[in-house]
Amino acid sequence: MTSPLEQKKIRITKPSMVTANRTWDGAVIYRTAAKGWSTNLSDAAIVRTADEARELLAESIADDVGAIGAYIAPVEVKDTGKIEPGNLREQIRSEGLTIDLTVPA
Amino acid sequence: MYAYDELDRTLINERVSEFRDQVKRRLSGELTEDEFKMLRLQNGVYLQLHAYMFRVAIPYGTLSSKQLRQLAHVARRYDRGYGHFTTRQNIQYNWIKLAELPDALSDLAEVGIHAMQTSGNNTRNVTSDQWAGVAPGEIEDPRIWSELLRQYTTLHPEFSFLPRKFKFAITASEHDRAAIKIHDIGLRLIKNADGETGFEVLVGGGLGRTPFIGKTIKPFVHGRDLLSYVEAILRVYNQYGRRDNIYKARIKILVHELGIEKFAREVEEEWQQLRDSALTLDHADIEEIRSRFSYPAYEKLPHMPDELKQAAHDPLFERWRKNSVFPHKVQGYSIVTLSLKPVGGPPGDATADQMDAIADLADRYSFGEIRVGHEQNLALPHVAKRDLPVLWKALDKIGVATPNVNLVTDIIACPGLDYCSLANARSIPIAQELTRRFANHDTANLIGRLHINISGCINACGHHHVGHIGILGVEKNGEEFYQITIGGRADENAEMGTLIGPAVPYAEVADVIEDIVEAYLALRDRAEELFVDTVKRLGVEPFRERVYATR
Ligand code: HEM
Ligand code: SF4
């Protein structure tokens, strides 16, 4: 996994959010605009510039008791405003294992 | 079975209460994640995609029924009702909560199981042949020596902060079921001309980013010198190992860079100073450990009981027996492999209910003992042949009698992108699709022994390099691609597979594997020529041609 420090150098090219795992149980969580965490991707604060992303990440990392391994990850924001995971890894984290799905032909 | 002594029990219990306190301080914020990470890793706790992952050691792959029931209990109580058996005789739980981990550890401690040294830069679980102590022709039970090494390396201060992780494997049979050539130190138990027990010592094997087959560093080390010799190796490693670069830190890189001769000289020099020290084992040390291993009171049984003769008329029973039942050193008994590779299922997973049922069957038919092998299957090591027909029915009922042991659907796979935070690509769904493609038993049987190994990234937890067919997940522009190798093997003739061509996308992997298998069926010179032998005879070219001609 890319460390948050390295990520500070990364410019974001897509709308992004900050995600982590909840310390006490490991659940996947997303940083919200209200400076809290939610287990729903739809509650995630969306950032569109590197500065915003850096700020959101810094604030997330500061919550060392609540969350572990925070990092910036891409999302897709649909025309309807619906937020979807930006890659397969985040899809699996947000929607769960793929292994009950049938394999695409 | 091995009976732990008081010291072991005290150590494990102390460790649990220590960890309970650490978790409490972590959850209260007294410890930061930076401070806590090393502590959790020392107790087998990783962070994965969805949750923490908890790895528990099953030393040399031997479990009592009581221990297996406790593993089931942990799966049910603290996880989602299943566990994953790994290639290194561990079990992993995928959904465990940090806040409940101390309770899980404490429940495991009740039956002498722990997670110490299942992660981190120390000596890991010492693995062994899953048929140790029961395989015909075995020189002696290698677990005696595994246990000696386990005791010696556990929490050894000098070996708790090595440059990188360190893995031992031991076998005492000619046919290597413990994959000793791909371990940091591999030990093959042998006898010298005077009939004394010792070891051929191999060093520097390993997979991952830079795979190497282990090399023989000393053809015979006397049993009494095992610990001093191993200590000499570890000291040389500790001194020269590359701590500055994680990719170069394993002993295999050091052995490769120094060359085996120079490395051996360094070790020899170190060893001369250690060899007649307190590390020398005397007869009593060894016998003390030996006496803690108990063996079943086998009965005198016929080679071919009536029950077996009758059952032989049932083709389904025969199919399973031929595939999953192996000779035992004692007449009238068998070793039975339980396939954790059902068609369409994730390789190596077992549910809590299955584990409980297997524990009950072990009590009834295998003197309460279960084994875990590196192929991610289980075994019952002492089954009376007369019991095979009833046992088969019972195993079939709980879904662990798929007659595919060592066949194309007996796939080794790592957790891959479905669970693992280091993954490039998924492993499990590839395995599942392949088991569906080759679900027809007659086809699988016609193909014969063929090991497919799948890893979701270059760390090679699924041993892809040494699969007869190896599948490695890579990432290309955010998409899952897979590199395919053929001709690898993990046994006494261990070899790395050769890349067959450009990586293929997720959706094409199963087709490509089918093409490779079809090419093999067309190319083999007789039905008994195994896939690996055909590849060895012809090289990869004819396979490449057939697979890529139409792509
Ligand atoms: C899901 C969490 C896991 C993580 C984070 C993980 C991580 C790693 C890493 C980083 C390595 C490479 C080490 C190196 O080359 O120095 C490695 C090697 C290995 N892992 Fe895992 N692993 C995981 C699961 C597993 C599982 C499920 C298995 C068994 C199926 C396994 C078996 C192995 C083996 C046998 C190697 C040895 C390859 C070698 O170095 O020779 N691991 N693992
Ligand atoms: S091989 Fe890679 S993807 Fe698979 S378990 Fe190991 S680290 Fe994870």
Side-chain angles (χ1 to χ4, degrees), chain A residues 19-101:
Chain A
T19 179
N21 292 75
R22 192 160 58 195
T23 304
W24 75 271
D25 67 347
V28 175
I29 48 177
Y30 303 95
R31 190 69 181 174
T32 66
K35 298 194 187 302
W37 296 99
S38 165
T39 51
N40 283 323
L41 177 59
S42 55
D43 297 332
I46 304 301
V47 290
R48 292 168 197 277
T49 67
D51 283 345
E52 285 173 354
R54 215 181 341 261
E55 199 173 312
L56 190 66
L57 180 63
E59 159 207 322
S60 306
I61 291 171
D63 180 14
D64 184 66
V65 187
I68 102 171
Y71 62 94
I72 300 162
V75 290
E76 257 183 62
V77 183
K78 296 285 168 192
D79 292 343
T80 57
K82 190 172 183 301
I83 302 173
E84 289 187 356
N87 58 31
L88 179 59
R89 184 181 202 267
E90 292 312 321
Q91 183 200 317
I92 291 171
R93 289 180 78 245
S94 126
E95 292 159 23
L97 304 180
T98 66
I99 56 186
D100 285 327
L101 306 177

Side-chain angles (χ1 to χ4, degrees), chain B residues 159-417:
Chain B
F159 308 150
S160 299
F161 301 94
L162 291 166
R164 197 76 182 90
K165 58 170 97 164
F166 203 92
K167 300 174 179 176
F168 286 91
I170 308 188
T171 182
S173 283
E174 210 157 300
H175 179 58
D176 176 11
R177 280 171 295 265
I180 65 167
K181 288 194 167 175
I182 54 168
H183 279 77
D184 297 273
I185 290 186
L187 298 168
R188 179 194 305 284
L189 191 148
I190 47 179
K191 297 267 187 195
N192 67 7
D194 298 328
E196 295 168 313
T197 300
F199 297 89
E200 177 190 359
V201 180
L202 288 85
V203 69
L207 303 176
R209 190 173 299 267
T210 329
F212 285 108
I213 301 289
K215 297 173 189 71
T216 301
I217 176 168
K218 210 168 171 65
F220 187 82
V221 171
H222 197 287
R224 68 171 172 256
D225 297 324
L226 179 65
L227 298 189
S228 60
Y229 194 75
V230 158
E231 172 129 353
I233 294 178
L234 280 160
R235 281 199 182 171
V236 171
Y237 174 47
N238 230 346
Q239 190 178 344
Y240 295 109
R242 294 278 299 269
R243 286 168 202 271
D244 59 320
N245 182 340
I246 188 170
Y247 299 122
K248 300 205 163 172
R250 295 287 292 269
I251 195 171
K252 61 190 175 186
I253 306 286
L254 180 64
V255 171
H256 177 70
E257 286 183 351
L258 285 182
I260 184 70
E261 291 79 18
K262 179 151 172 25
F263 184 78
R265 275 201 304 280
E266 294 278 348
V267 170
E268 195 66 26
E269 215 165 278
E270 191 70 39
W271 185 48
Q272 290 312 328
Q273 291 164 34
L274 287 170
R275 63 180 298 181
D276 294 314
S277 66
L279 286 173
T280 306
L281 293 162
D282 58 30
H283 189 64
D285 297 331
I286 298 163
E287 289 313 306
E288 155 74 16
I289 302 272
R290 201 186 303 277
S291 71
R292 292 180 167 277
F293 278 88
S294 60
Y295 295 89
Y298 296 113
E299 290 172 70
K300 211 168 154 38
L301 295 175
H303 172 63
M304 187 41 103
D306 290 341
E307 291 86 345
L308 204 54
K309 281 185 209 147
Q310 268 158 26
H313 298 299
D314 180 346
L316 288 181
F317 171 78
E318 274 302 279
R319 186 170 92 175
W320 170 79
R321 183 189 63 77
K322 284 191 183 139
N323 178 268
S324 310
V325 177
F326 300 91
H328 195 282
K329 68 174 187 189
V330 177
Q331 173 180 303
Y333 287 86
S334 296
I335 305 168
V336 174
T337 297
L338 280 47
S339 168
L340 297 184
K341 318 288 176 69
V343 170
D349 279 10
T351 65
D353 291 348
Q354 283 175 325
M355 290 187 240
D356 274 339
I358 293 166
D360 290 348
L361 292 171
D363 279 339
R364 209 167 316 150
Y365 301 114
S366 183
F367 297 90
E369 199 175 318
I370 302 99
R371 301 293 180 82
V372 185
H374 90 267
E375 298 86 354
Q376 302 182 285
N377 288 320
L378 301 180
L380 295 178
H382 323 279
V383 179
K385 285 184 171 176
R386 58 156 192 251
D387 295 333
L388 286 170
V390 270
L391 175 64
W392 168 61
K393 289 219 165 87
L395 294 176
D396 192 40
K397 221 186 216 160
I398 57 167
V400 296
T402 314
N404 64 348
V405 176
N406 289 328
L407 298 182
V408 60
T409 50
D410 187 1
I411 297 173
I412 294 179
C414 79
L417 189 57

Side-chain angles (χ1 to χ4, degrees), chain B residues 48 55 86-87 92 165 167 207 250 415 459 461 463:
Chain B
Q48 290 300 293
R55 183 181 289 163
T86 82
T87 52
Q92 292 185 178
K165 58 170 97 164
K167 300 174 179 176
L207 303 176
R250 295 287 292 269
N459 286 319
C461 303
H463 289 185

Side-chain angles (χ1 to χ4, degrees), chain B residues 48 414-417 420-425 427 455-462:
Chain B
Q48 290 300 293
C414 79
L417 189 57
C420 179
S421 56
L422 304 174
N424 289 322
S427 306
S455 306
C457 82
I458 195 65
N459 286 319
C461 303

